[in-house]
Amino acid sequence: LCGFTASIAALNSWSDALEYIFITRPILRLAERFWADARRVGNPTEHQHALASDVIIAAQAEMVGGAVITENTDHLSRYVQAINWRDGLL
């Protein structure tokens, strides 16, 4: 696994706590609002031609009152609770 054995083991140990959420129309509408708000204040999370995956993930978490486990806490914490997975807070 090319040096990622510890990271994969950590992710696997959290698998019971993870919830997978389908992308629905209401989630996309919330993601659109997050994206537009970030652009409006001049603080986008991605290049102008990039897929706005950060805001979609944030919208999914927001819709269920959850948090996002990531290394990208700077971008995602603008919208929803973002926990750095390296901090081991689960």
Side-chain angles (χ1 to χ4, degrees):
L1 299 168
C2 302
F4 293 102
T5 305
S7 298
I8 291 170
L11 181 60
N12 286 337
S13 72
W14 297 335
S15 64
D16 290 338
L18 298 176
E19 183 173 342
Y20 299 92
I21 303 160
F22 291 102
I23 299 172
T24 62
R25 214 172 284 258
I27 286 171
L28 286 177
R29 295 299 175 254
L30 180 57
E32 291 167 358
R33 194 178 85 223
F34 287 164
W35 181 89
D37 290 346
R39 295 278 173 181
R40 187 176 306 111
V41 298
N43 204 5
T45 59
E46 72 289 314
H47 184 273
Q48 66 178 354
H49 298 297
L51 177 64
S53 57
D54 284 353
V55 294
I56 294 171
I57 293 167
Q60 287 175 303
E62 177 70 17
M63 292 294 274
V64 298
V68 177
I69 302 167
T70 182
E71 282 187 333
N72 189 7
T73 56
D74 289 343
H75 286 172
L76 290 163
S77 64
R78 297 178 196 177
Y79 313 107
V80 68
Q81 181 184 8
I83 301 167
N84 190 316
W85 71 271
R86 292 183 184 272
D87 293 339
L89 298 176
L90 288 179

